[in-house]
Protein backbone atom coordinates (compact mmCIF):
# COMPACT_ATOMS: atom_id res chain seq x y z
CA UNK A 1 0.00 0.00 0.00
CA UNK A 2 1.36 3.40 -1.02
CA UNK A 3 0.11 6.85 -0.01
CA UNK A 4 -0.22 9.40 -2.80
CA UNK A 5 1.99 12.49 -2.35
CA UNK A 6 2.10 11.76 1.35
CA UNK A 7 4.46 14.53 2.47
CA UNK A 8 2.46 17.07 0.45
CA UNK A 9 -0.93 16.01 1.84
CA UNK A 10 -0.36 15.80 5.60
CA UNK A 11 -3.20 17.62 7.37
CA UNK A 12 -1.68 20.07 9.86
CA UNK A 13 -4.56 20.01 12.35
CA UNK A 14 -4.67 16.21 12.51
CA UNK A 15 -0.90 16.00 12.85
CA UNK A 16 -0.75 18.62 15.59
CA UNK A 17 -3.51 16.84 17.54
CA UNK A 18 -1.36 13.69 17.50
CA UNK A 19 1.75 15.59 18.56
CA UNK A 20 -0.22 17.22 21.39
CA UNK A 21 -0.97 13.79 22.87
CA UNK A 22 2.66 13.61 24.06
CA UNK A 23 3.87 17.22 23.94
CA UNK A 24 2.24 19.63 26.38
CA UNK A 25 4.62 22.57 26.05
CA UNK A 26 2.71 25.24 24.13
CA UNK A 27 5.92 26.91 22.95
CA UNK A 28 7.14 23.66 21.33
CA UNK A 29 3.74 23.08 19.72
CA UNK A 30 3.74 26.60 18.32
CA UNK A 31 7.25 26.11 16.93
CA UNK A 32 6.25 22.86 15.20
CA UNK A 33 3.17 24.56 13.76
CA UNK A 34 5.34 27.38 12.36
CA UNK A 35 7.70 24.78 10.88
CA UNK A 36 4.78 23.10 9.10
CA UNK A 37 3.42 26.39 7.79
CA UNK A 38 6.78 27.67 6.51
CA UNK A 39 6.23 29.12 3.04
CA UNK A 40 7.42 27.60 -0.22
CA UNK A 41 9.59 29.63 -2.62
CA UNK A 42 8.52 29.28 -6.25
CA UNK A 43 9.91 31.66 -8.86
CA UNK A 44 11.16 34.01 -6.18
CA UNK A 45 7.68 34.30 -4.62
CA UNK A 46 6.81 32.82 -1.23
CA UNK A 47 3.57 30.83 -1.16
CA UNK A 48 1.89 29.87 2.12
CA UNK A 49 1.68 26.17 3.03
CA UNK A 50 -1.72 24.94 4.21
CA UNK A 51 -0.92 21.21 4.23
CA UNK A 52 2.05 18.89 3.97
CA UNK A 53 5.47 18.88 5.62
CA UNK A 54 8.71 20.46 4.30
CA UNK A 55 10.52 17.70 2.41
CA UNK A 56 14.19 17.15 3.07
CA UNK A 57 14.02 18.47 6.62
CA UNK A 58 15.10 16.24 9.53
CA UNK A 59 11.78 16.68 11.34
CA UNK A 60 9.47 15.54 8.52
CA UNK A 61 10.17 11.76 8.82
CA UNK A 62 9.55 11.93 12.58
CA UNK A 63 6.28 13.81 12.12
CA UNK A 64 5.16 11.33 9.45
CA UNK A 65 5.73 8.44 11.85
CA UNK A 66 3.76 10.27 14.55
CA UNK A 67 0.83 10.67 12.16
CA UNK A 68 0.96 7.12 10.81
CA UNK A 69 1.26 5.65 14.29
CA UNK A 70 -2.55 5.59 14.19
CA UNK A 71 -2.32 3.28 11.18
CA UNK A 72 0.08 0.99 13.01
CA UNK A 73 -2.21 0.84 16.03
CA UNK A 74 -5.22 0.09 13.83
CA UNK A 75 -3.42 -2.78 12.08
CA UNK A 76 -2.25 -4.16 15.43
CA UNK A 77 -5.79 -3.95 16.80
CA UNK A 78 -7.03 -6.01 13.86
CA UNK A 79 -4.29 -8.58 14.37
CA UNK A 80 -2.64 -8.12 10.96
CA UNK A 81 0.99 -8.84 10.18
CA UNK A 82 2.48 -5.78 8.49
CA UNK A 83 5.65 -3.88 7.72
CA UNK A 84 5.76 -0.11 7.23
CA UNK A 85 8.51 2.33 6.28
CA UNK A 86 7.38 5.98 6.10
CA UNK A 87 4.39 6.04 3.71
CA UNK A 88 5.04 2.62 2.18
CA UNK A 89 3.57 -0.48 3.85
CA UNK A 90 2.86 -4.15 3.23
CA UNK A 91 0.02 -5.95 5.00
CA UNK A 92 0.04 -9.76 5.03
CA UNK A 93 -3.20 -11.77 5.13
CA UNK A 94 -4.20 -15.36 4.38
CA UNK A 95 -6.06 -14.99 1.07
CA UNK A 96 -6.74 -12.69 -1.87
CA UNK A 97 -10.31 -12.15 -0.70
CA UNK A 98 -9.08 -11.08 2.74
CA UNK A 99 -6.51 -8.83 1.09
CA UNK A 100 -9.11 -7.04 -1.01
CA UNK A 101 -11.29 -6.57 2.05
CA UNK A 102 -8.40 -5.21 4.15
CA UNK A 103 -7.22 -2.90 1.36
CA UNK A 104 -10.71 -1.39 1.06
CA UNK A 105 -11.20 -0.97 4.82
CA UNK A 106 -7.73 0.48 5.47
CA UNK A 107 -8.21 2.87 2.55
CA UNK A 108 -11.43 4.11 4.17
CA UNK A 109 -9.66 4.44 7.52
CA UNK A 110 -6.81 6.52 6.07
CA UNK A 111 -9.09 8.78 4.06
CA UNK A 112 -11.64 9.36 6.83
CA UNK A 113 -9.45 9.43 9.95
CA UNK A 114 -6.16 10.87 8.68
CA UNK A 115 -7.33 12.66 5.49
CA UNK A 116 -4.73 10.82 3.41
CA UNK A 117 -5.19 9.44 -0.09
CA UNK A 118 -4.10 5.95 -1.11
CA UNK A 119 -2.26 5.72 -4.42
CA UNK A 120 -4.41 3.08 -6.13
CA UNK A 121 -2.04 2.65 -9.06
CA UNK A 122 0.79 1.57 -6.74
CA UNK A 123 -1.35 -0.32 -4.23
CA UNK A 124 -2.51 -3.84 -5.00
CA UNK A 125 -3.46 -7.23 -3.58
CA UNK A 126 -0.85 -9.72 -4.74
CA UNK A 127 1.38 -12.58 -3.70
CA UNK A 128 4.36 -11.33 -1.61
CA UNK A 129 6.91 -12.58 -4.15
CA UNK A 130 5.21 -10.57 -6.89
CA UNK A 131 5.58 -7.32 -4.98
CA UNK A 132 8.58 -5.33 -3.78
CA UNK A 133 9.19 -3.42 -0.57
CA UNK A 134 12.12 -1.01 -0.20
CA UNK A 135 13.60 -2.55 -3.38
CA UNK A 136 13.54 -6.06 -1.88
CA UNK A 137 11.30 -8.99 -2.74
CA UNK A 138 11.11 -12.61 -1.58
CA UNK A 139 11.04 -16.12 -2.97
CA UNK A 140 7.89 -18.25 -3.23
CA UNK A 141 9.20 -21.07 -1.02
CA UNK A 142 7.50 -22.24 2.18
CA UNK A 143 10.39 -20.66 4.06
CA UNK A 144 10.81 -17.49 1.95
CA UNK A 145 14.17 -15.83 1.45
CA UNK A 146 14.91 -12.18 0.79
CA UNK A 147 16.04 -11.29 -2.71
CA UNK A 148 16.72 -8.18 -4.78
CA UNK A 149 13.58 -7.04 -6.61
CA UNK A 150 13.80 -7.32 -10.42
CA UNK A 151 13.07 -3.59 -10.79
CA UNK A 152 16.13 -2.80 -8.67
CA UNK A 153 18.33 -4.90 -10.94
CA UNK A 154 16.98 -3.10 -14.02
CA UNK A 155 17.72 0.29 -12.44
CA UNK A 156 21.29 -0.74 -11.61
CA UNK A 157 21.86 -2.00 -15.15
CA UNK A 158 20.49 1.26 -16.52
CA UNK A 159 22.91 3.23 -14.36
CA UNK A 160 25.84 1.07 -15.42
CA UNK A 161 24.93 1.36 -19.11
CA UNK A 162 25.07 5.13 -18.74
CA UNK A 163 28.59 4.88 -17.33
CA UNK A 164 29.63 2.54 -20.15
CA UNK A 165 28.27 4.85 -22.84
CA UNK A 166 30.37 7.66 -21.45
CA UNK A 167 33.36 5.33 -21.18
CA UNK A 168 33.76 4.25 -24.80
CA UNK A 169 36.43 6.87 -25.38
CA UNK A 170 38.08 6.49 -21.99
CA UNK A 171 40.35 3.97 -20.37
CA UNK A 172 38.48 0.98 -19.01
CA UNK A 173 40.23 1.55 -15.68
CA UNK A 174 38.74 5.05 -15.52
CA UNK A 175 35.31 3.48 -16.05
CA UNK A 176 36.00 1.06 -13.20
CA UNK A 177 36.91 3.99 -10.94
CA UNK A 178 33.56 5.62 -11.71
CA UNK A 179 31.69 2.36 -11.14
CA UNK A 180 33.34 1.54 -7.84
CA UNK A 181 31.30 3.76 -5.46
CA UNK A 182 28.04 2.93 -7.25
CA UNK A 183 28.59 -0.82 -6.96
CA UNK A 184 29.80 -0.62 -3.38
CA UNK A 185 26.80 1.45 -2.30
CA UNK A 186 24.39 -0.88 -4.12
CA UNK A 187 25.67 -4.07 -2.53
CA UNK A 188 25.83 -2.43 0.90
CA UNK A 189 22.12 -1.64 0.63
CA UNK A 190 21.25 -5.20 -0.43
CA UNK A 191 23.47 -6.88 2.15
CA UNK A 192 20.42 -8.63 3.64
CA UNK A 193 19.67 -10.52 0.41
CA UNK A 194 19.71 -14.30 0.81
CA UNK A 195 19.46 -15.20 -2.89
CA UNK A 196 23.00 -14.70 -4.14
CA UNK A 197 22.79 -15.93 -7.74
CA UNK A 198 21.78 -12.52 -9.03
CA UNK A 199 24.99 -10.98 -7.62
CA UNK A 200 27.11 -13.50 -9.50
CA UNK A 201 25.19 -12.90 -12.74
CA UNK A 202 25.58 -9.15 -12.37
CA UNK A 203 29.32 -9.57 -11.80
CA UNK A 204 29.60 -11.59 -15.03
CA UNK A 205 27.51 -9.04 -16.94
CA UNK A 206 29.61 -6.11 -15.68
CA UNK A 207 32.89 -7.78 -16.64
CA UNK A 208 31.50 -8.67 -20.06
CA UNK A 209 30.50 -5.04 -20.62
CA UNK A 210 34.04 -3.97 -19.73
CA UNK A 211 35.51 -6.47 -22.17
CA UNK A 212 33.08 -5.14 -24.77
CA UNK A 213 34.50 -1.63 -24.29
CA UNK A 214 38.00 -2.97 -24.82
CA UNK A 215 37.04 -4.85 -27.98
CA UNK A 216 35.39 -1.73 -29.41
CA UNK A 217 38.47 0.32 -28.65
CA UNK A 218 40.66 -2.20 -30.48
CA UNK A 219 39.15 -1.23 -33.82
CA UNK A 220 41.56 -2.94 -36.22
CA UNK A 221 42.21 -6.65 -36.61
CA UNK A 222 45.94 -6.15 -36.14
CA UNK A 223 45.36 -4.21 -32.89
CA UNK A 224 43.07 -6.92 -31.54
CA UNK A 225 45.51 -9.70 -32.34
CA UNK A 226 48.41 -7.74 -30.85
CA UNK A 227 46.50 -6.95 -27.63
CA UNK A 228 45.42 -10.57 -27.20
CA UNK A 229 49.00 -11.79 -27.63
CA UNK A 230 50.15 -9.22 -25.08
CA UNK A 231 47.61 -10.72 -22.68
CA UNK A 232 49.06 -14.23 -23.04
CA UNK A 233 47.27 -15.84 -26.00
CA UNK A 234 49.37 -17.69 -28.57
CA UNK A 235 49.73 -16.15 -32.02
CA UNK A 236 47.47 -18.62 -33.87
CA UNK A 237 44.61 -18.28 -31.42
CA UNK A 238 44.99 -14.49 -31.20
CA UNK A 239 44.72 -14.07 -34.97
CA UNK A 240 41.85 -16.54 -35.23
CA UNK A 241 39.95 -14.65 -32.53
CA UNK A 242 40.72 -11.23 -34.05
CA UNK A 243 39.42 -12.29 -37.47
CA UNK A 244 36.30 -14.22 -36.40
CA UNK A 245 33.97 -11.52 -37.79
CA UNK A 246 31.74 -11.58 -34.71
CA UNK A 247 30.42 -8.45 -32.97
CA UNK A 248 31.82 -6.82 -29.81
CA UNK A 249 29.24 -8.33 -27.43
CA UNK A 250 29.87 -11.88 -28.68
CA UNK A 251 33.63 -11.47 -28.40
CA UNK A 252 33.27 -9.94 -24.93
CA UNK A 253 31.75 -13.22 -23.75
CA UNK A 254 34.05 -15.51 -25.72
CA UNK A 255 36.78 -17.62 -24.15
CA UNK A 256 39.66 -15.62 -25.66
CA UNK A 257 38.55 -12.38 -23.94
CA UNK A 258 37.82 -14.24 -20.70
CA UNK A 259 41.32 -15.66 -20.77
CA UNK A 260 42.90 -12.32 -21.65
CA UNK A 261 40.95 -10.41 -19.00
CA UNK A 262 39.89 -12.77 -16.19
CA UNK A 263 38.13 -11.72 -13.02
CA UNK A 264 41.39 -11.22 -11.11
CA UNK A 265 42.60 -8.66 -13.67
CA UNK A 266 39.56 -6.45 -13.12
CA UNK A 267 39.78 -7.03 -9.38
CA UNK A 268 43.39 -5.83 -9.38
CA UNK A 269 42.19 -2.76 -11.29
CA UNK A 270 39.74 -1.88 -8.50
CA UNK A 271 36.49 -3.41 -9.79
CA UNK A 272 34.14 -4.30 -6.94
CA UNK A 273 32.84 -7.87 -7.08
CA UNK A 274 29.24 -7.72 -5.86
CA UNK A 275 29.25 -11.34 -4.74
CA UNK A 276 32.57 -11.13 -2.90
CA UNK A 277 31.54 -7.89 -1.23
CA UNK A 278 28.23 -9.45 -0.18
CA UNK A 279 30.01 -12.39 1.44
CA UNK A 280 32.35 -10.03 3.30
CA UNK A 281 29.47 -7.93 4.60
CA UNK A 282 27.41 -10.91 5.71
CA UNK A 283 30.34 -12.66 7.37
CA UNK A 284 31.26 -9.48 9.24
CA UNK A 285 27.85 -9.27 10.99
Amino acid sequence: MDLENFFDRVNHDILMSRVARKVTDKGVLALIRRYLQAGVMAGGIESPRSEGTPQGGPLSPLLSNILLDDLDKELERRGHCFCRYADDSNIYVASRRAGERVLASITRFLESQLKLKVNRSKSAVERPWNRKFLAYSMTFHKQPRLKVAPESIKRLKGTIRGVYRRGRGRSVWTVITELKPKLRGWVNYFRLAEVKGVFEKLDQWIRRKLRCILWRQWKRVYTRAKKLMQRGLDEVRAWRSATNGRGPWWNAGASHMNQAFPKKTFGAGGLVSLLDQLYRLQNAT
Side-chain angles (χ1 to χ4, degrees), residues 229-259:
M229 285 188 283
Q230 289 175 350
R231 297 297 305 175
L233 274 70
D234 63 79
E235 184 176 356
V236 174
R237 189 182 179 199
W239 277 103
R240 186 171 62 245
S241 300
T243 57
N244 60 34
R246 301 276 189 165
W249 183 247
W250 186 92
N251 278 283
S255 60
H256 54 270
M257 284 298 285
N258 277 272
Q259 181 180 336

Coordinates of all heavy atoms in Angstrom, one line a residue, residues 229-259:
M229 N 47.7 -11.1 -27.9 CA 49.0 -11.8 -27.6 C 49.7 -11.2 -26.4 O 50.4 -11.9 -25.7 CB 49.9 -11.7 -28.9 CG 49.4 -12.6 -30.0 SD 50.6 -12.6 -31.4 CE 50.1 -11.0 -32.3
Q230 N 49.6 -9.9 -26.2 CA 50.2 -9.2 -25.1 C 49.5 -9.7 -23.8 O 50.2 -9.7 -22.7 CB 50.0 -7.7 -25.2 CG 50.8 -7.0 -26.2 CD 50.5 -5.5 -26.3 OE1 49.5 -5.0 -25.8 NE2 51.4 -4.8 -27.1
R231 N 48.3 -10.2 -23.9 CA 47.6 -10.7 -22.7 C 47.8 -12.2 -22.5 O 47.1 -12.8 -21.7 CB 46.1 -10.4 -22.8 CG 45.8 -8.9 -22.8 CD 46.2 -8.2 -21.5 NE 45.6 -8.8 -20.3 CZ 45.9 -8.5 -19.1 NH1 46.8 -7.5 -18.9 NH2 45.4 -9.1 -18.1
G232 N 48.7 -12.8 -23.3 CA 49.1 -14.2 -23.0 C 48.5 -15.3 -24.0 O 48.8 -16.4 -23.9
L233 N 47.8 -14.9 -25.0 CA 47.3 -15.8 -26.0 C 48.3 -16.1 -27.0 O 49.1 -15.2 -27.4 CB 46.0 -15.3 -26.7 CG 44.7 -15.6 -26.0 CD1 44.6 -14.8 -24.7 CD2 43.5 -15.3 -26.9
D234 N 48.4 -17.4 -27.5 CA 49.4 -17.7 -28.6 C 49.0 -17.0 -29.9 O 47.8 -16.6 -30.1 CB 49.5 -19.2 -28.7 CG 48.2 -19.9 -29.2 OD1 47.9 -19.8 -30.4 OD2 47.5 -20.4 -28.4
E235 N 49.9 -16.9 -30.8 CA 49.7 -16.1 -32.0 C 48.6 -16.7 -32.9 O 47.8 -15.9 -33.4 CB 51.0 -16.1 -32.8 CG 50.9 -15.3 -34.1 CD 52.3 -15.2 -34.8 OE1 53.3 -15.7 -34.3 OE2 52.3 -14.6 -35.9
V236 N 48.5 -18.0 -33.0 CA 47.5 -18.6 -33.9 C 46.1 -18.3 -33.3 O 45.2 -17.9 -34.0 CB 47.7 -20.1 -34.0 CG1 46.5 -20.8 -34.7 CG2 49.0 -20.4 -34.7
R237 N 45.9 -18.5 -32.0 CA 44.6 -18.3 -31.4 C 44.3 -16.8 -31.4 O 43.1 -16.4 -31.6 CB 44.6 -18.8 -30.0 CG 43.2 -18.8 -29.4 CD 43.1 -19.3 -28.0 NE 41.8 -19.2 -27.5 CZ 41.5 -19.2 -26.2 NH1 42.5 -19.3 -25.3 NH2 40.2 -19.2 -25.8
A238 N 45.2 -15.9 -31.2 CA 45.0 -14.5 -31.2 C 44.5 -14.0 -32.6 O 43.5 -13.3 -32.7 CB 46.3 -13.7 -30.8
W239 N 45.1 -14.5 -33.6 CA 44.7 -14.1 -35.0 C 43.4 -14.7 -35.3 O 42.5 -14.0 -36.0 CB 45.8 -14.5 -36.0 CG 46.9 -13.4 -36.1 CD1 48.1 -13.6 -35.5 CD2 46.8 -12.2 -36.7 NE1 48.9 -12.4 -35.8 CE2 48.1 -11.5 -36.5 CE3 45.8 -11.5 -37.4 CZ2 48.4 -10.3 -37.0 CZ3 46.1 -10.2 -37.9 CH2 47.4 -9.6 -37.7
R240 N 43.1 -15.9 -34.9 CA 41.8 -16.5 -35.2 C 40.7 -15.8 -34.5 O 39.6 -15.6 -35.1 CB 41.9 -18.0 -34.8 CG 40.6 -18.8 -35.2 CD 40.7 -20.3 -35.0 NE 40.9 -20.6 -33.6 CZ 42.0 -21.2 -33.1 NH1 43.1 -21.4 -33.9 NH2 42.1 -21.4 -31.8
S241 N 41.0 -15.4 -33.3 CA 39.9 -14.6 -32.5 C 39.7 -13.3 -33.1 O 38.6 -12.8 -33.2 CB 40.4 -14.5 -31.1 OG 40.5 -15.8 -30.5
A242 N 40.8 -12.6 -33.5 CA 40.7 -11.2 -34.0 C 40.0 -11.2 -35.4 O 39.5 -10.1 -35.7 CB 42.1 -10.6 -34.2
T243 N 40.0 -12.3 -36.1 CA 39.4 -12.3 -37.5 C 38.1 -13.1 -37.5 O 37.7 -13.5 -38.6 CB 40.4 -12.9 -38.5 OG1 40.8 -14.2 -38.0 CG2 41.7 -12.0 -38.6
N244 N 37.5 -13.4 -36.4 CA 36.3 -14.2 -36.4 C 35.1 -13.5 -37.0 O 34.1 -14.2 -37.3 CB 36.0 -14.8 -35.0 CG 35.7 -13.6 -34.0 OD1 35.1 -12.6 -34.3 ND2 36.1 -13.9 -32.8
G245 N 35.1 -12.2 -37.2 CA 34.0 -11.5 -37.8 C 32.8 -11.3 -36.9 O 31.7 -10.8 -37.3
R246 N 32.9 -11.7 -35.7 CA 31.7 -11.6 -34.7 C 31.7 -10.2 -34.1 O 32.7 -9.4 -34.2 CB 31.9 -12.6 -33.6 CG 31.9 -14.0 -34.0 CD 30.5 -14.6 -34.2 NE 30.5 -16.0 -34.4 CZ 29.4 -16.8 -34.3 NH1 28.3 -16.2 -34.0 NH2 29.5 -18.1 -34.5
G247 N 30.6 -9.8 -33.5 CA 30.4 -8.5 -33.0 C 31.1 -8.3 -31.6 O 31.5 -9.3 -31.0
P248 N 31.2 -7.1 -31.1 CA 31.8 -6.8 -29.8 C 31.2 -7.6 -28.6 O 31.9 -8.1 -27.8 CB 31.7 -5.3 -29.6 CG 31.5 -4.8 -31.0 CD 30.7 -5.8 -31.8
W249 N 29.9 -7.7 -28.6 CA 29.2 -8.3 -27.4 C 29.6 -9.8 -27.4 O 29.8 -10.4 -26.4 CB 27.7 -8.1 -27.4 CG 27.0 -8.7 -26.3 CD1 26.1 -9.7 -26.3 CD2 27.2 -8.3 -24.9 NE1 25.7 -10.0 -25.0 CE2 26.3 -9.1 -24.1 CE3 27.9 -7.3 -24.2 CZ2 26.2 -9.0 -22.7 CZ3 27.8 -7.2 -22.8 CH2 26.9 -8.0 -22.1
W250 N 29.5 -10.5 -28.6 CA 29.9 -11.9 -28.7 C 31.3 -12.1 -28.2 O 31.6 -13.0 -27.4 CB 29.7 -12.4 -30.1 CG 29.8 -13.9 -30.2 CD1 28.9 -14.8 -30.1 CD2 31.1 -14.6 -30.5 NE1 29.4 -16.1 -30.3 CE2 30.8 -16.0 -30.5 CE3 32.4 -14.2 -30.6 CZ2 31.7 -16.9 -30.7 CZ3 33.4 -15.2 -30.8 CH2 33.0 -16.5 -30.9
N251 N 32.2 -11.3 -28.8 CA 33.6 -11.5 -28.4 C 33.9 -11.2 -26.9 O 34.7 -11.8 -26.3 CB 34.5 -10.5 -29.3 CG 34.8 -11.1 -30.6 OD1 35.6 -12.0 -30.8 ND2 34.0 -10.7 -31.7
A252 N 33.1 -10.3 -26.4 CA 33.3 -9.9 -24.9 C 32.9 -11.1 -24.0 O 33.5 -11.2 -22.9 CB 32.4 -8.7 -24.6
G253 N 32.1 -12.0 -24.5 CA 31.8 -13.2 -23.7 C 32.5 -14.5 -24.2 O 32.3 -15.5 -23.6
A254 N 33.3 -14.4 -25.2 CA 34.0 -15.5 -25.7 C 35.2 -15.9 -24.8 O 35.7 -15.1 -24.0 CB 34.5 -15.2 -27.2
S255 N 35.7 -17.1 -25.0 CA 36.8 -17.6 -24.1 C 38.1 -16.8 -24.3 O 38.8 -16.7 -23.3 CB 37.0 -19.1 -24.4 OG 37.4 -19.3 -25.8
H256 N 38.4 -16.3 -25.5 CA 39.7 -15.6 -25.7 C 39.7 -14.3 -24.8 O 40.7 -14.0 -24.3 CB 40.0 -15.3 -27.1 CG 38.9 -14.6 -27.9 ND1 37.8 -15.3 -28.5 CD2 38.6 -13.3 -28.1 CE1 37.0 -14.4 -29.1 NE2 37.5 -13.2 -28.8
M257 N 38.6 -13.6 -24.8 CA 38.6 -12.4 -23.9 C 38.5 -12.7 -22.5 O 39.0 -12.0 -21.6 CB 37.4 -11.5 -24.3 CG 37.6 -10.7 -25.6 SD 39.0 -9.6 -25.6 CE 38.3 -8.2 -24.6
N258 N 37.8 -13.8 -22.1 CA 37.8 -14.2 -20.7 C 39.2 -14.7 -20.2 O 39.6 -14.4 -19.1 CB 36.8 -15.4 -20.5 CG 35.4 -14.9 -20.4 OD1 35.0 -14.6 -19.3 ND2 34.7 -14.8 -21.5
Q259 N 40.0 -15.3 -21.1 CA 41.3 -15.7 -20.8 C 42.2 -14.4 -20.7 O 43.1 -14.3 -19.8 CB 41.9 -16.7 -21.8 CG 43.3 -17.1 -21.5 CD 43.8 -18.1 -22.5 OE1 43.1 -18.8 -23.2 NE2 45.1 -18.2 -22.6

